[in-house]
Amino acid sequence: MSLLRVGDHALEIRIAESAPRCLRRFVARLADTELPTMPAGQVMQVRDGHRTRLTVDVSRGEVLLELAAELAGDPPTLEIGVLQAAARSLAVMGDGELTLLHGSAVTIDGGRSAIAVLDGGRGQGKTSLALGVAAHGGSLLVDEFAFTAFPCRQPCVVPMPTLPWHVRADMAPLLAPHATERLLYPVDLPTPTTAGHRPLPLSLIVIPDQGLAAGELRETPTPAARDLLRAAVTDHEAKLRDPTLDHVSIFSSADEVTISRSLPAFNFGEMALDALAAVPVIRVGVGIGKPDDLPTSVAAVIRRTRGDS
């Protein structure tokens, strides 16, 4: 059994014999091996098809991903596409306890809390900045798919220690000098991974901003923070419904995705925005996003977490 686990939720991923062989190793690396007997609740079947299609049956907790034969020739894109489909489908089929944020997260305060580096609508610098911050004594929590719970309205990031990190090619020599793959697992990176799945309270949210000079920090008041965070809260669901919004996708149009039932009328996203905006939110300048700018930006965030002026 291959389980993609998010806290108390899990998605069983079943790979058909006819699916591309490269997916078996990939899904095995995604799988949670700590609790192999944990009931999944939801099931995702992956098999080949005449065209690439994704069908999500929300009420039944079932996902069907059909893959066109030509995708087998591009394993990295195929792996990213399967991960996107699995994580986003799990979020859509949830009961509102978890919100899927677009961004990365690492520990601070000796592992007592977390810092999230979220997308502010531009999609630049999140992973590199998070890895840079973690290199100063933190641990990796999750990249790209930051599931977040809200006990008593306190945002808590759920660690996903089996998911890969996508390091940009120009940043890889700085962050992971020996990297040769497009997707890197925590064991491939110099920063340790947090063990276990206990959600960690979110104590700071960082939004990379190319409009600011490298290392420049701007505190964001609550009303403005709510608007700034909307992209991070809505991005994954929007890309599930319209895959053309993705930079990397196995789909060519929104017609290739079917969600059998609409989300609940109650808008959990608005609740998430309220809770997230109550956390300190800062924008940090990442210059023009080049490797030379990264140390300056990381140092500024580290100073902020330590309360230095």
Side-chain angles (χ1 to χ4, degrees):
M1 180 188 301
S2 295
L3 290 181
L4 178 64
R5 181 185 175 192
V6 184
D8 294 331
H9 300 259
L11 178 70
E12 180 184 354
I13 304 177
R14 300 175 181 172
I15 304 292
E17 291 290 341
S18 58
R21 292 182 179 180
C22 65
L23 288 183
R24 293 192 177 280
R25 179 175 178 271
F26 175 68
V27 171
R29 297 197 75 175
L30 291 184
D32 183 351
T33 58
E34 293 182 13
L35 294 173
T37 59
M38 178 182 180
Q42 287 93 26
V43 176
M44 175 175 171
Q45 296 190 56
V46 182
R47 67 188 189 198
D48 65 351
H50 297 296
R51 58 181 295 197
T52 301
R53 290 188 56 84
L54 177 67
T55 304
V56 183
D57 190 325
V58 176
S59 60
R60 299 180 64 178
E62 296 178 353
V63 182
L64 174 61
L65 177 59
E66 299 173 276
L67 302 171
E70 58 265 24
L71 291 175
D74 187 1
T77 297
L78 183 58
E79 293 167 358
I80 291 171
V82 170
L83 178 56
Q84 290 170 342
R88 292 167 180 172
S89 296
L90 186 57
V92 168
M93 294 186 298
D95 52 13
E97 293 181 2
L98 295 170
T99 294
L100 179 54
L101 305 180
H102 183 192
S104 305
V106 298
T107 65
I108 56 173
D109 300 328
R112 293 185 295 273
S113 65
I115 172 174
V117 186
L118 301 182
D119 181 38
R122 300 186 180 185
Q124 293 275 346
K126 300 181 298 300
T127 300
S128 299
L129 189 57
L131 286 169
V133 172
H136 289 261
S139 295
L140 305 178
L141 291 175
V142 65
D143 184 38
E144 189 71 14
F145 303 99
F147 281 93
T148 305
F150 297 87
C152 301
R153 298 184 66 81
Q154 167 63 57
C156 295
V157 177
V158 181
M160 300 282 287
T162 63
L163 263 61
W165 289 64
H166 189 174
V167 183
R168 272 172 34 192
D170 60 337
M171 291 291 186
L174 179 65
L175 297 165
H178 304 294
T180 58
E181 302 292 334
R182 189 169 178 180
L183 292 176
L184 300 179
Y185 290 83
V187 295
D188 304 321
L189 296 166
T191 306
T193 302
T194 298
H197 298 271
R198 180 177 62 86
L200 293 180
L202 192 56
S203 58
L204 179 68
I205 296 173
V206 176
I207 308 290
D209 190 336
Q210 288 187 323
L212 301 178
E216 182 180 355
L217 296 183
R218 295 282 182 89
E219 302 284 339
T220 306
T222 299
R226 199 177 186 281
D227 293 333
L228 188 62
L229 292 166
R230 188 172 293 278
V233 172
T234 61
D235 221 24
H236 279 304
E237 184 191 332
K239 290 176 178 178
L240 174 65
R241 296 179 181 278
D242 184 1
T244 62
L245 298 174
D246 268 313
H247 296 299
V248 179
S249 180
I250 58 176
F251 304 101
S252 59
S253 74
D255 293 338
E256 295 175 345
V257 176
T258 301
I259 300 177
S260 64
R261 184 173 65 83
S262 299
L263 294 179
F266 189 80
N267 194 332
F268 293 104
E270 297 302 316
M271 279 186 58
L273 281 171
D274 289 338
L276 290 167
V279 175
V281 178
I282 62 171
R283 291 184 293 137
V284 59
V286 290
I288 56 177
K290 290 187 175 180
D292 290 346
D293 294 326
L294 182 61
T296 303
S297 301
V298 168
V301 175
I302 293 295
R303 288 195 300 271
R304 173 62 176 76
T305 63
R306 295 173 178 171
D308 300 338
S309 58

